[in-house]
Amino acid sequence: MFARPLFRCSQPIRNNIRRYATEGPSAGGSNTLLYSGIAAALAGAGGYYYYNGSSGAVKGERSRGNAVSSSEPNTVEPTGPKSKTFTGGDQGWIDLKLQNVEVVNHNTKKLRFALNSDDDVSGLQIASALLTKYKGPEMEKPVIRPYTPTSDEAARGYIDLIVKKYPNGPMSSHLHDMEPEQRLAFKGPIPKYPLEENKHKHIALIAGGTGITPMYQLARAVFGRPNDKTKVTLVYGNLTEEDILLKKEFEELENTYPQRFRAFYVLDKPPEHWTQGSGHVTKELLKTVLPEPKEEGLKVFVCGPPGMYKAISGVKPSPSDQGELEGMLKELGYSKDQVYKF
């Protein structure tokens, strides 16, 4: 149960957000006061705990797009015809060479892999992912994991992954141990959700941990299309501020499109003077910041650890089966057709 009096002070904030969800663009405006008010309104509210235990360690390895990176273009833009490294179908596995490695934080690295040619694009579409495969010397079977590159689909010559290392994750551990010039097997693209221009009036992205990467793929596509008017709301939960991935990229989107994009961050262990959400993603937070279920043209996307799915939307029985809608979103009145689970 949620204590209703606790959220009375958030009603003006909720009204402002609802106006953002339904009104057309207006000039300028900062979201600082809005976020500070939400943080105050939600302080102390209980909710879902993203990680198993207070240490924040995730059991096993459940990778749903562990890739994060800024999508800076090549210094010299190729001008030749575009060919695709990944074409899907019966293409099979392709070995790509690791170009360089960059440390992102205490347990996350950015890896850049070279495509078949400097003129190649990846061949990924919105939204899609790639499979990776690795078989260690003492492994009976290879391990296969999906990752969502965060480099732009139009980028030539490379793809970027950001990989968080999990304690017992064979693929993430291998990727963290890789050195430049070594190769990794890839296959794809693996189609996810087809998001065409202006397909929805408003999309809501609910992510935890490395589940942010397919969300960034969606947001980057929306704001990269000159004629796309879709609004985007992001709710992103993490353990600490250091664990927030792609924050710089999302801040740039928010500064550029203040009337169409808003991001709300929730930390289990917030630093001193943190002005946004603390604790966990709760039903009251979602009720406050998300568009209402009755809004026309709404789609809600969810991606994160298994426990997050269970609490917010219900789990997926298999990669090809979305399953029934359960959890907080169902309790808030959203329908199965309005929600997509990555």
Side-chain angles (χ1 to χ4, degrees):
M1 293 292 292
F2 296 91
R4 187 172 298 275
L6 175 67
F7 296 97
R8 284 176 180 167
C9 60
S10 72
Q11 190 62 40
I13 301 167
R14 180 177 299 133
N15 290 339
N16 287 336
I17 295 172
R18 295 306 181 202
R19 287 198 295 271
Y20 151 75
T22 56
E23 290 180 355
S26 61
S30 169
N31 295 326
T32 303
L33 292 176
L34 176 67
Y35 299 150
S36 299
I38 289 176
L42 298 178
Y48 165 63
Y49 193 71
Y50 278 113
Y51 299 91
N52 296 300
S54 60
S55 66
V58 180
K59 294 182 179 180
E61 179 176 3
R62 293 297 297 268
S63 174
R64 287 181 175 82
N66 279 10
V68 180
S69 151
S70 60
S71 306
E72 68 275 13
N74 289 328
T75 303
V76 179
E77 181 67 21
T79 58
K82 294 181 180 179
S83 59
K84 299 177 181 179
T85 290
F86 299 104
T87 58
D90 298 327
Q91 183 184 36
W93 294 92
I94 298 175
D95 289 343
L96 298 185
K97 182 172 65 176
L98 179 62
Q99 282 188 332
N100 56 60
V101 180
E102 176 186 329
V103 175
V104 175
N105 62 28
H106 63 103
N107 64 1
T108 306
K109 289 183 177 181
K110 167 185 165 183
L111 298 91
R112 174 163 292 187
F113 290 88
L115 297 177
N116 284 342
S117 164
D118 288 343
D119 286 340
D120 271 14
V121 294
S122 66
L124 273 74
Q125 63 267 16
I126 307 299
S128 62
L130 293 173
L131 296 178
T132 59
K133 181 174 70 171
Y134 164 69
K135 185 178 184 300
E138 298 180 0
M139 298 171 62
E140 294 184 4
K141 296 181 179 180
V143 59
I144 297 174
R145 294 288 186 271
Y147 287 89
T148 304
T150 53
S151 46
D152 195 282
E153 289 71 32
R156 295 199 188 197
Y158 68 91
I159 56 170
D160 288 337
L161 304 182
I162 281 193
V163 180
K164 178 174 287 189
K165 184 177 181 179
Y166 292 98
N168 298 308
M171 179 60 78
S172 64
S173 296
H174 172 65
L175 288 168
H176 270 241
D177 291 339
M178 287 185 69
E179 300 287 343
E181 303 299 318
Q182 292 183 323
R183 291 181 173 271
L184 182 69
F186 288 85
K187 186 177 183 180
I190 309 301
K192 295 294 184 178
Y193 184 86
L195 186 68
E196 295 87 10
E197 187 174 281
N198 293 310
K199 182 174 183 177
H200 303 292
K201 292 183 178 180
H202 199 148
I203 61 173
L205 315 175
I206 306 173
T210 52
I212 193 63
T213 57
M215 307 306 195
Y216 178 58
Q217 189 184 55
L218 293 175
R220 190 186 63 241
V222 165
F223 295 110
R225 298 166 176 165
N227 298 319
D228 202 323
K229 305 303 180 185
T230 306
K231 290 184 177 181
V232 181
T233 297
L234 170 67
V235 178
Y236 185 20
N238 279 286
L239 186 65
T240 70
E241 187 174 16
E242 187 182 20
D243 294 311
I244 300 176
L245 302 175
L246 290 168
K247 192 167 188 283
K248 176 183 176 182
E249 287 79 358
F250 283 118
E251 286 177 344
E252 289 177 354
L253 290 178
E254 194 163 27
N255 290 332
T256 306
Y257 306 97
Q259 299 303 318
R260 291 178 54 209
F261 178 69
R262 282 181 178 170
F264 301 92
Y265 300 99
V266 182
L267 299 181
D268 181 56
K269 298 179 179 179
E272 190 176 359
H273 307 307
W274 176 252
T275 60
Q276 294 207 35
S278 60
H280 322 293
V281 174
T282 65
K283 185 166 70 171
E284 280 295 330
L285 172 63
L286 297 181
K287 183 178 181 180
T288 301
V289 304
L290 293 188
E292 292 181 320
K294 65 182 181 182
E295 180 172 327
E296 183 181 352
L298 170 66
K299 194 73 175 184
V300 181
F301 297 87
V302 183
C303 189
M308 179 184 179
Y309 282 105
K310 183 176 181 180
I312 292 177
S313 63
V315 300
K316 291 172 58 176
S318 72
S320 60
D321 184 359
Q322 286 282 301
E324 295 301 317
L325 180 63
E326 300 174 351
M328 300 177 193
L329 292 177
K330 181 178 181 180
E331 294 169 7
L332 289 171
Y334 296 92
S335 68
K336 178 179 178 179
D337 291 340
Q338 288 178 305
V339 179
Y340 181 85
K341 309 170 193 177
F342 276 103

